[in-house]
Amino acid sequence: MKTWATYFQNDEAAPLKYGEINLINPPRQRLRGEPRKAGIEAVPVFCGFCGTDFELMKMGKKGLLGPKFPKGEKRLINGHEGVVWVPSEHRFAIVLIRGGDSADPTRFTEDETYFEYGCDGADGIFCDKGYFNPDMLLHLPEQYAGLEKLPLSLAKKLVFSDPYACAVFQHERMCDIGEAQLFRVVMAKDRCDEAAARKKAVEATFDRVVIFGLGTTGLFIGDQIRRNHPAANVLFVARSGADSEKALFVKDELACDYLSSGGMDEAQTASAIIDRLGGRATAFVGTSGTEVEHRVAFARGVLGCNGIYNSFSLGPKVAYDTMPFGFQNHVILASINFTQSHMETAIRLLCSSKFDRLVALIDKDAFTRDPIGAYENNIYAKGAPLKTAVVWNPAFLDMEA
């Protein structure tokens, strides 16, 4: 079957194209031990743009995408964030993007394999129709069963299902590691038993939190911390002005503090963070994509003794001086992606959120006419919206709701 789609290829001049291509439908496995299943047809309705897409486009320009293509193909349909319509089941769905011959594709081991729709080895959702493992087409909450048209506001919220699920996983990881890191300290300090200390240690992890960066991943991690730890002191740090839309969202919707570091050097930024927090951080989350974050945390001393550093940025190299790192008992954690349960939690929480405020639309014709230009000059240009999405099939959307 043929479809119209945008797709990546290895081509210096045209790493991303829009055109008619042949669809493939190899059987795919959701988890180790489960049967491989042929995909069922789904119609993409609303699609979001992710920074991963932009990086893959750059890889195609350098001729490095070969390992990412579906087996036997020389192209990859991009896109992994959004909502699809499943004709055979007469419902809307969110694609669980990661599966494979793994017990847990999020934390696969050396003898396991994985694939990701739209990213690695499997075609994504920037197409008029596609095929997806039926077990990986996740349901919307029960109150949305039977919908013939999806409200645009809800589609905007659900476009965040993938990155918000990452944040659910990040919060889980911070709790796990924070508990292990701090419970013996709490036992000694409070002279309590281990069970009580472990419970207290989880909360102590979030006493003073820095989230360095103001992108979606940082916002979602902040939202998860605020939902689960109401007393947490959470400070976002970024260069955007304090009156920017994102900064106001942090303060109004997440009930977190915000520090604009614009015009500050690293030492001034560190000093301002410690002053605003009322002490050194118990947890530092790096989401800015810059190497400034680890220098502020370690070299400038923002991360306190026994603190954990959650490295969520892709690209920067993290460095630290081993002497203070060891004696201050720091821990660095890093993990990306999520399990199906994380995404199901994300879908449920997003439906009642206000994150649709952060999504801007790009015209489909403008995007497909010049997809490379759209990425470079609109979607990821300076001053671009926090999140850009495209209405791929308006027949399934209520544009006024």
Side-chain angles (χ1 to χ4, degrees):
M1 182 172 71
K2 291 182 178 293
T3 192
W4 286 82
T6 57
Y7 57 93
F8 295 124
Q9 60 182 0
N10 280 327
D11 188 308
E12 184 176 0
L16 179 63
K17 290 188 68 174
Y18 176 70
E20 189 176 35
I21 61 173
N22 286 313
L23 278 178
I24 59 173
N25 189 18
R28 299 191 187 280
Q29 189 175 13
R30 180 178 60 170
L31 292 173
R32 175 162 283 193
E34 294 185 352
R36 296 179 181 272
K37 294 184 179 181
I40 63 173
E41 183 180 318
V43 178
V45 174
F46 191 78
C47 308
F49 298 90
C50 175
T52 300
D53 303 335
F54 195 31
E55 292 304 314
L56 290 172
M57 189 180 80
K58 294 176 185 176
M59 289 175 64
K61 187 174 289 189
K62 297 175 183 177
L64 302 175
L65 278 181
K68 300 290 187 182
F69 295 144
K71 187 176 181 180
E73 300 296 319
K74 294 184 178 180
R75 89 294 175 280
L76 171 69
I77 297 175
N78 62 307
H80 57 277
E81 298 181 353
V83 187
V84 302
W85 172 259
V86 186
S88 62
E89 301 178 1
H90 205 75
R91 68 178 178 91
F92 293 100
I94 305 295
V95 178
L96 174 65
I97 69 163
R98 201 174 230 232
D101 184 20
S102 311
D104 176 357
T106 295
R107 300 175 70 177
F108 66 96
T109 60
E110 291 79 5
D111 66 334
E112 297 180 329
T113 61
Y114 72 93
F115 68 88
E116 290 182 332
Y117 286 117
C119 298
D120 197 336
D123 287 328
I125 66 172
F126 275 90
C127 53
D128 290 349
K129 63 181 67 176
Y131 291 110
F132 305 93
N133 182 314
D135 297 332
M136 298 177 70
L137 291 167
L138 304 185
H139 288 257
L140 272 57
E142 184 63 30
Q143 65 263 36
Y144 301 108
L147 273 182
E148 299 285 340
K149 287 180 177 282
L150 193 69
L152 177 61
S153 60
L154 181 58
K156 286 182 174 182
K157 296 172 185 178
L158 291 172
V159 81
F160 290 121
S161 298
D162 176 304
Y164 196 97
C166 286
V168 177
F169 183 35
Q170 290 298 305
H171 171 253
E172 178 182 279
R173 291 276 285 157
M174 292 176 75
C175 289
D176 290 348
I177 292 174
E179 176 187 328
Q181 168 77 336
L182 295 175
F183 83 90
R184 294 189 185 281
V185 175
V186 174
M187 283 177 66
K189 177 182 175 183
D190 293 356
R191 293 179 171 82
C192 58
D193 62 28
E194 182 174 329
R198 285 184 176 275
K199 187 174 181 180
K200 290 182 178 182
V202 173
E203 295 306 314
T205 300
F206 302 98
D207 278 350
R208 294 180 300 278
V209 181
V210 175
I211 299 178
F212 204 87
L214 203 52
T216 54
T217 52
L219 290 176
F220 298 151
I221 292 172
D223 188 54
Q224 272 291 289
I225 293 172
R226 176 58 68 229
R227 286 174 182 270
N228 290 282
H229 311 278
N233 183 1
V234 183
L235 175 66
F236 279 81
V237 182
R239 299 185 65 82
S240 299
D243 59 350
S244 68
E245 181 182 13
K246 293 181 289 185
L248 293 175
F249 192 91
V250 160
K251 291 181 282 189
D252 296 342
E253 301 299 337
L254 307 187
C256 296
D257 198 5
Y258 179 73
L259 172 67
S260 174
S261 61
M264 298 183 187
D265 61 25
E266 291 176 12
Q268 292 169 327
T269 299
S271 178
I273 291 172
I274 293 171
D275 181 65
R276 187 72 68 88
L277 281 177
R280 296 170 71 191
T282 55
F284 191 108
V285 186
T287 70
S288 71
T290 70
E291 295 191 8
V292 173
E293 55 194 34
H294 77 83
R295 292 196 295 267
V296 168
F298 296 117
R300 301 296 178 177
V302 166
L303 187 62
C305 291
N306 305 302
I308 65 173
Y309 182 92
N310 185 354
S311 177
F312 198 73
S313 292
L314 294 178
K317 291 181 172 59
V318 175
Y320 55 87
D321 184 337
T322 55
M323 181 71 79
F325 180 83
F327 277 95
Q328 294 183 58
N329 293 294
H330 290 149
V331 167
I332 297 176
L333 70 98
S335 48
I336 311 295
N337 295 302
F338 46 83
T339 66
Q340 180 171 331
S341 66
H342 296 132
M343 183 166 253
E344 289 168 341
T345 297
I347 293 168
R348 175 177 55 81
L349 294 177
L350 285 168
C351 286
S352 59
S353 77
K354 296 183 180 179
F355 283 112
D356 53 311
R357 283 177 45 185
L358 303 176
V359 181
L361 299 180
I362 188 172
D363 179 73
K364 181 184 176 183
D365 290 338
F367 170 61
T368 57
R369 186 166 52 248
D370 181 14
I372 296 174
Y375 272 101
E376 294 178 339
N377 302 320
N378 301 99
I379 301 167
Y380 290 105
K382 186 177 181 180
L386 181 66
K387 189 69 172 181
T388 302
V390 58
V391 174
W392 201 268
N393 194 323
F396 293 95
L397 286 174
D398 181 349
M399 300 296 289
E400 304 301 321

